[in-house]
Amino acid sequence: MQILSEISRTFGEYLLVPNLTTANCTPEAVDLSAPLTRHPVGESAQIRIAIPMVSAVMEAVSSPRLAIAIAQAGGLSFVHQNQPIAQQAEMVAAVKRNKAGFRHSEINIRPTATLAEVAALLEQAERDIAVVTDDGSPTGRFLGLISLRDFHPQRHDLNAGVETRMRAKADLVVAPPTISLSEANTLLWDQRLDVLPVVDNQGRLASVVLRRDYELHKRFRNESVDDDKRFRVGAGVNTRDYRDRIPALVEAGADILCLDSSDGYSVYQSDVLDWVRSTYGQNVRIGAGNVVDGRGFRYLADAGADFVKIGIGGGSICITRDAKGIGRGQASAVLDVVRERDRYAGETGEYVPLCSDGGILQDSHMAIALAFGADFLMLGRYFARFEESPSALVRVDDQFFKEYWGEGSARARNAARYGQASGLLFEEGVDGYVPYAGRLDENVSVTLAKIKATMVSCGSITLRQFHDSATLVEVSHQSFLQNSQDIRLRERPSGGRT
Ligand code: RVP
């Protein structure tokens, strides 16, 4: 038995101390891009993301819709593996059907459906426009568009057919599949369109170009896309059915895989990595984890992992530390693994990116995790709060929440992730709610602005500089108390004057 001399610490126990900010150190100059895959030191990784954020391998978080929204913002999603192989592969394929700028149409309806049906469809999908095709499919014969502005419950009979109120193809601007994205965007703006349907020469819908996507592109600039401009997406895998699951995910177009386990320091992960390398060489990229110390990192790096994920017990919905007594404060875990990653790079010339997974309770924790040396962050609670996450929106009194549950909860029953052989005998996660926060792009923009502002204060314009030069300080218990007192002072009693 040994007891580590270092106390187990979380991100909230540290603050960054500013360094000199020079004239070229501005938020516009900050580059938040990060490598996802191992690569020789000094070279570029095969897969990079423009923002250091990926979504958790969780049913409540990573759906195709969220995956597209994150890829548009420059990050990446990992579709969860606690579902039948065909279903997970279809989710991956659903993301890959979308090219940056050209979307596979998601909201489609038949012309014979009623106005009540299209109203319900739009409400459920939280959209305001649907595409009308002869069979209601995304590749059916294109007939027109119908939006909430085309009918009103008090003026129109909701039992009437969609065809009575849709704007028909003959009155719309449509484009051929040969159109380039810049030509399509010019049409959107010249013709004041919200949607440009792309239709092939048999009259079938190929894709849609949305004005909103153009605006997002201008805001984030660096979507995560593959060489064919299809959005990138990752997928979780486990150590049990990988021989069947991985080929299906590769076939569906997954850009990168991630072994999904609460404790990845195991021979089972090494076996999967061996199998992937002997089957696919370097053509399939796969991360492994989770680990909380340098030994776990080195084991998985030696076994060929493309990135290593850090974190046990720190997730907002996680009760592993209570249930099993294992884990480590996320800050201490990252610190230990980063030291080993840097040693490993010095010895082997190979840089293995690190993902800090879970336990980010505030945006400031992201900056601190990156300063500690994590290359990118995996976030569950953060993304679960957004409109695009797959879980239900619920209203309690005047407040809206999204459901959010752990993969180790009785609801998810993800036994493969928790290495429990005969089903989930005990829970390692909880089932709860998180406050609804609105659209992903709006929230991510604000978070990125905060991280950039922090980096500017610390005199850094790249994540590498930030890690190399960051100065951190531990906060005392007294500081915590003072901080919460400050918050009380800032709150104005209701009805008070400014
Ligand atoms: P958070 O972002 O703090 O919500 O944490 C998300 C992470 O928590 C996931 O990426 C995963 O590592 C972990 N997790 C997921 N389910 C559970 C559980 O049920 N214990 N933990």
Side-chain angles (χ1 to χ4, degrees):
M1 192 275 284
Q2 66 164 323
I3 297 184
L4 299 179
S5 53
E6 201 185 295
I7 291 175
S8 170
R9 296 189 187 281
T10 67
F11 294 131
E13 293 177 65
Y14 294 89
L15 284 173
L16 281 151
V17 179
N19 288 335
L20 177 68
T21 302
T22 53
N24 64 353
C25 190
T26 61
E28 297 70 39
V30 172
D31 171 7
L32 288 174
S33 67
L36 277 192
T37 48
R38 71 190 291 150
H39 55 278
V41 173
E43 293 183 17
S44 186
Q46 186 199 337
I47 304 182
R48 290 182 67 83
I49 41 179
I51 65 169
M53 293 168 140
V54 301
S55 69
V57 197
M58 296 174 73
E59 184 183 358
V61 182
S62 294
S63 63
R65 187 171 172 212
L66 187 102
I68 292 170
I70 297 185
Q72 279 187 303
L76 191 99
S77 230
F78 284 92
V79 175
H80 79 99
Q81 54 80 25
N82 188 29
Q83 57 179 324
I85 293 172
Q87 196 174 308
Q88 188 189 15
E90 173 45 34
M91 284 194 181
V92 168
V95 179
K96 298 304 289 184
R97 283 195 284 269
N98 293 271
K99 283 191 169 196
F102 293 94
R103 284 208 185 217
H104 193 71
S105 177
E106 286 174 3
I107 313 296
N108 310 292
I109 195 136
R110 281 171 294 106
T112 49
T114 63
L115 294 177
E117 282 173 314
V118 77
L121 177 72
L122 292 172
E123 188 185 335
Q124 195 201 0
E126 297 176 30
R127 305 292 174 85
D128 52 15
I129 192 158
V131 178
V132 187
T133 58
D134 61 346
D135 57 2
S137 81
T139 52
R141 215 155 48 79
F142 175 69
L143 300 177
L145 296 172
I146 185 156
S147 83
L148 291 173
R149 278 181 290 176
D150 295 321
F151 61 96
H152 193 283
Q154 259 118 50
R155 295 192 70 88
H156 302 104
D157 175 7
L158 291 185
N159 292 317
V162 161
E163 56 206 342
T164 62
R165 293 302 307 164
M166 72 181 187
R167 282 167 288 144
K169 180 182 173 190
D171 304 324
L172 294 169
V173 179
V174 298
T178 48
I179 194 167
S180 72
L181 186 56
S182 72
E183 288 164 346
N185 284 328
T186 305
L187 262 184
L188 277 181
W189 288 98
D190 286 355
Q191 306 286 330
R192 299 185 176 83
L193 309 173
D194 288 326
V195 180
L196 174 67
V198 177
V199 178
D200 70 16
N201 50 17
Q202 265 109 54
R204 296 195 160 273
L205 184 67
S207 58
V208 287
V209 183
L210 307 179
R211 176 192 290 234
R212 201 165 101 66
D213 286 348
Y214 176 85
E215 284 158 2
L216 285 179
H217 172 71
K218 289 293 162 213
R219 174 131 44 111
F220 291 105
R221 298 207 165 266
N222 285 311
E223 291 100 340
S224 300
V225 290
D226 61 22
D227 292 343
D228 294 327
K229 295 265 190 291
R230 299 179 306 167
F231 288 120
R232 282 202 192 278
V233 62
V237 294
N238 62 59
T239 54
R240 296 182 179 178
D241 59 15
Y242 59 95
R243 287 189 174 80
D244 298 322
R245 192 173 290 270
I246 292 180
L249 295 170
V250 170
E251 174 69 25
D255 292 275
I256 186 162
L257 307 172
C258 178
L259 273 160
D260 178 29
S261 171
S262 64
D263 170 12
Y265 188 14
S266 78
V267 67
Y268 309 112
Q269 293 222 344
S270 172
D271 289 347
V272 179
L273 295 169
D274 271 355
W275 183 83
V276 167
R277 292 294 166 244
S278 61
T279 312
Y280 299 102
Q282 296 298 321
N283 293 329
V284 167
R285 313 309 302 247
I286 178 166
N290 285 8
V291 301
V292 287
D293 69 2
R295 295 172 308 161
F297 167 82
R298 185 163 286 256
Y299 182 78
L300 295 177
D302 281 342
D306 268 300
F307 64 85
V308 173
K309 200 145 68 71
I310 308 164
I312 297 180
S316 58
I317 30 45
C318 188
I319 52 169
T320 292
R321 291 177 191 169
D322 294 340
K324 299 204 310 203
I326 66 160
R328 193 173 193 183
Q330 192 65 6
S332 303
V334 171
L335 200 59
D336 192 357
V337 177
V338 162
R339 279 194 206 113
E340 193 64 19
R341 187 265 320 269
D342 292 343
R343 251 197 302 271
Y344 187 85
E347 284 166 27
T348 64
E350 283 277 298
Y351 186 86
V352 179
L354 297 179
C355 172
S356 172
D357 174 16
I360 298 284
L361 294 173
Q362 301 172 8
D363 289 353
S364 61
H365 295 168
M366 296 192 201
I368 290 173
L370 295 167
F372 267 74
D375 293 277
F376 59 101
L377 314 168
M378 180 169 273
L379 308 155
R381 186 199 61 87
Y382 178 82
F383 286 120
R385 300 172 304 145
F386 302 148
E387 180 185 311
E388 294 86 348
S389 82
S391 72
L393 181 68
V394 283
R395 184 178 177 160
V396 181
D397 298 328
D398 280 344
Q399 269 197 299
F400 286 95
F401 296 86
K402 290 278 267 193
E403 293 180 334
Y404 180 44
W405 61 95
E407 287 296 305
S409 66
R411 179 166 180 179
R413 309 203 73 77
N414 188 347
R417 179 173 207 275
Y418 291 92
Q420 294 191 29
S422 40
L424 205 73
L425 286 181
F426 58 91
E427 290 183 87
E428 294 191 40
V430 296
D431 183 358
Y433 300 96
V434 285
Y436 175 63
R439 280 209 341 232
L440 179 143
D441 57 299
E442 288 169 357
N443 283 277
V444 168
S445 297
V446 174
T447 300
L448 295 179
K450 289 185 198 168
I451 296 175
K452 287 179 180 178
T454 307
M455 287 174 61
V456 166
S457 284
C458 294
S460 306
I461 56 171
T462 66
L463 291 178
R464 181 109 312 263
Q465 279 176 5
F466 190 38
H467 170 49
D468 288 346
S469 65
T471 309
L472 289 125
V473 65
E474 286 176 30
V475 264
S476 68
H477 182 62
Q478 191 58 32
S479 304
F480 276 125
L481 293 179
Q482 193 185 336
N483 197 26
S484 49
Q485 204 168 42
D486 285 349
I487 289 169
R488 277 205 302 279
L489 286 175
R490 282 199 293 272
E491 278 174 359
R492 204 180 317 122
S494 55
R497 286 155 37 120
T498 39

